[in-house]
Amino acid sequence: MIDVKGSAVDELPVVVVGAGPVGLAAASEVFERGLKPLVLEAGPEVGSAVREWSHVRLFSQWAELIDPAAARLLEREGWHAPDPAAYPAGADWVEQYLQPLAAALGERVRFGARVVGVARRGRDRVVDAGRASEPLTVHVETADGEERIAAQAVIDASGTWRSPNPLGGDGLPAAGELAARDRISYQVPDVSDGQVRARFAGKRIAVAGSGHSALTALVAFAGLAEEVAGTEIVWVLRRGRSGDVFGGGEADQLPERGALGLRAKQAVEAGHVRTMTGFRTAAVEADGDGRLVLTSFEGDKSAPVDEVVVLTGFRPDLSWLSEVRLDLDPVLQAPTALAPLIDPNVHSCGTVYPHGAKELAHPEPGVFVVGMKSYGRAPTFLAMTGYEQVRSVTAAIAGDTESAERVELVLPETGVCGGAGLFDEPEAEQGGGCCAAPQQAVELAAPGAAER
C-alpha cells in the first residue's frame, strides 16, 4: 500500500458523508468491523434534514427504523430502545435515536464539515496510471478553511433533501417559478406552527405531487380546511389517470403507509380537495390580484392560488463526485445495476429486491452511494433498505465478500402493483408493469419521498 502521512491506505478512515439515519448506520457498521469511521456532516447537528420535517410521523415502526449495528453500539452505552411497535415522528427519531447514536460515536462524527469533492489522490477521472494504489482524497470546507482528508473508502449517505425537484413538468423550473419562490415551498408544512398556519389558513393552496409527502400535505391541509373557512386545496397531478395514487390501503404491509393513503382519499371524498389530473406545469404567472396561476404545457390554467406546495420528489446532487468514476443509469441517475429494480416507469410494487455492494459498486473502487441518494430520482425509499445497503457495503470494504453478497432483508409490499403511471398513457397501453394487472384495492373518488 502507498503510505499517506505514514499510514497505509487500509489504515485510513472510511469517510461517511452525512450524519442522517443511513450515514450513522454506516459509521456503526464500519466501527463494528474494526475499521475507522469518520462522519462528515455539513449541518451543525445530527439529522439536520430530518429536523426540517420533524413534525411528520413516519409510517415505519421503531423496529424498522433502528440499524442493528447501531443498536448494539447504543446498548453498550446503556441505551434503551423505544417501543418497537410505536410510530415516531421525525423529532422522535432524532431525539431518541440519532442524537444518542452520534454521542456514542463521539469524535468520529464531525459537524460543520461540508464535503465539496472526492478524488483519487493526484489523479483526475481521466488518468488510469497508478489509480488503483492511491487513496481517495476528500475535499472539505469548514469554518476554519479548507481541508483534505485521505480515505480508504467513501460512503456517500448525504441524501437528496437539499435537491427537491422543481414544479416545472419538464424537470426544470417552470417559467416564473423562481420569481414566485416567496409563495412556493418544497416541503410538507407544519400547520401546527403558528406562523406556518397563518400563511396557509383561509387561502387557496395548490399541492403538486402524488407521493407520500403530497398525501401527508393533503391530509394536513384538509384538517386546516375543516377548522378555518376559506381554506381550499387544489391537487395538481401530472398523472393523466388515477391509477393507484392512494396506495394499497389495507393491503399494504406497512399499515400506516396504507392508512395515509386512505386518509387522503377521505379528504378528497369530503370535498376539501379539488383534483387536476394530467397537468404538467410550464409557467407560473401572477394575475391582476397578485395570486398565482399555473399554466400547463397544453395551455390549461389553474384557478388563482395564494400558495403552492411542490412535493414532486428529489434528485441527487452529483456535482462533488465529478472526479470519481461512477456508473449511473442515464434515466434515474442511480447505479446502473440497481436502476432496473426501482424504475418508477415500470415498478410501483414497493417490493425492491434487497441489494447491496454488488448493485451499488462503481468503477471507482471504494466509492459507494447509499441511502435515498442511491435511488437517484426514483421514489419510495425505506430506512431498512439503507441499513441493509450499508451492512453489505461495509462488509465489502472490510473484504468479507460472503457477507457482502448475502441477502438479509425482506421488504414489505405496498399492496399495489403495476406501472407507476408517470405520464398520461392510453388505457390500452397500460399493463401490469412489474407484476400482475393493477389491483383496484383503492380507487380515486373525484400521493417522499417515502421515508426521507
Side-chain angles (χ1 to χ4, degrees):
M1 291 289 186
I2 300 297
D3 285 346
V4 181
K5 295 184 179 179
S7 297
V9 171
D10 58 3
E11 295 176 355
L12 294 172
V14 175
V15 170
V16 179
V17 184
V22 176
L24 293 187
S28 302
E29 297 280 354
V30 171
F31 180 70
E32 190 170 77
R33 285 275 178 178
L35 304 176
K36 301 175 182 177
L38 176 60
V39 181
L40 301 177
E41 166 59 45
E45 53 193 346
V46 67
S48 294
V50 179
R51 291 174 189 272
E52 293 189 25
W53 51 270
S54 60
H55 58 290
V56 177
R57 187 166 176 253
L58 288 89
F59 48 65
S60 288
Q61 299 174 319
W62 270 115
E64 298 153 340
L65 296 171
I66 297 174
D67 174 70
R72 291 189 288 270
L73 173 60
L74 283 165
E75 287 164 359
R76 290 195 294 272
E77 300 290 324
W79 174 81
H80 296 287
D83 178 1
Y87 293 89
D92 303 317
W93 207 10
V94 171
E95 294 168 9
Q96 299 180 47
Y97 173 60
L98 296 181
Q99 286 181 177
L101 182 54
L105 288 165
E107 295 182 354
R108 301 174 186 88
V109 182
R110 291 179 52 187
F111 298 105
R114 180 178 298 279
V115 175
V116 295
V118 176
R120 189 65 61 180
R121 189 181 69 164
R123 310 290 191 275
D124 65 25
R125 66 184 293 166
V126 176
V127 177
D128 287 334
R131 194 175 194 89
S133 60
E134 292 294 330
L136 293 160
T137 303
V138 183
H139 294 229
V140 185
E141 289 182 352
T142 72
D144 297 324
E146 298 180 356
E147 187 175 349
R148 304 288 183 269
I149 299 173
Q152 64 168 296
V154 173
I155 301 175
D156 177 6
S158 60
T160 57
W161 180 249
R162 308 295 175 194
S163 305
N165 287 329
L167 176 62
D170 59 1
L172 297 173
E177 181 174 348
L178 299 180
R181 60 183 175 270
D182 60 324
R183 282 183 287 166
I184 301 178
S185 58
Y186 298 86
Q187 61 189 66
V188 178
D190 180 6
V191 295
S192 67
D193 178 274
Q195 288 186 328
V196 175
R197 184 182 179 87
R199 174 176 177 176
F200 294 103
K203 305 291 180 59
R204 181 181 292 155
I205 310 150
V207 176
S210 61
H212 298 102
S213 293
L215 296 181
T216 300
L218 289 178
V219 172
F221 285 138
L224 185 62
E226 290 181 350
E227 299 173 7
V228 181
T231 305
E232 303 176 39
I233 305 102
V234 179
W235 190 11
V236 181
L237 287 167
R238 293 174 178 174
R239 303 179 184 211
R241 56 187 175 94
S242 60
D244 47 27
V245 71
F246 291 120
E250 295 178 357
D252 195 319
Q253 292 181 4
L254 286 179
E256 286 302 305
R257 182 170 60 187
L260 171 62
L262 292 176
R263 288 194 295 270
K265 179 175 181 287
Q266 291 166 0
V268 172
E269 291 177 333
H272 298 305
V273 179
R274 185 153 50 90
T275 305
M276 297 174 59
T277 59
F279 193 99
R280 304 180 74 84
T281 306
V284 181
E285 303 168 326
D287 69 2
D289 297 324
R291 303 174 93 185
L292 301 179
V293 176
L294 310 184
T295 302
S296 75
F297 282 90
E298 290 72 31
D300 298 323
K301 294 183 180 294
S302 72
V305 299
D306 301 289
E307 298 282 345
V308 182
V309 178
V310 182
L311 301 168
T312 53
F314 299 85
R315 60 184 58 181
D317 176 9
L318 300 166
S319 61
W320 55 271
L321 294 169
S322 62
E323 291 307 314
V324 292
R325 298 173 176 182
L326 303 181
D327 182 14
L328 298 175
D329 178 75
V331 176
L332 296 185
Q333 297 178 295
T336 298
L338 176 61
L341 305 179
I342 61 176
D343 187 346
N345 289 291
V346 179
H347 297 270
S348 66
C349 299
T351 303
V352 176
Y353 294 105
H355 55 276
K358 180 180 179 181
E359 292 81 8
L360 298 171
H362 291 284
E364 195 72 60
V367 173
F368 297 92
V369 179
V370 300
M372 189 67 203
K373 189 171 179 178
S374 72
Y375 269 37
R377 299 195 185 199
T380 314
F381 185 85
L382 297 173
M384 64 183 91
T385 300
Y387 297 159
E388 172 64 7
Q389 287 180 338
V390 298
R391 183 206 62 77
S392 174
V393 162
T394 301
I397 293 170
D400 187 349
T401 303
E402 189 277 331
S403 180
E405 294 179 350
R406 187 171 61 243
V407 172
E408 297 185 0
L409 177 67
V410 177
L411 293 172
E413 297 186 10
T414 61
V416 295
C417 211
L422 294 182
F423 207 81
D424 186 10
E425 301 173 349
E427 289 293 332
E429 297 179 9
Q430 295 167 15
C434 57
C435 312
Q439 299 177 10
Q440 299 298 324
V442 182
E443 298 178 355
L444 186 64
E451 202 113 89
R452 317 293 173 185

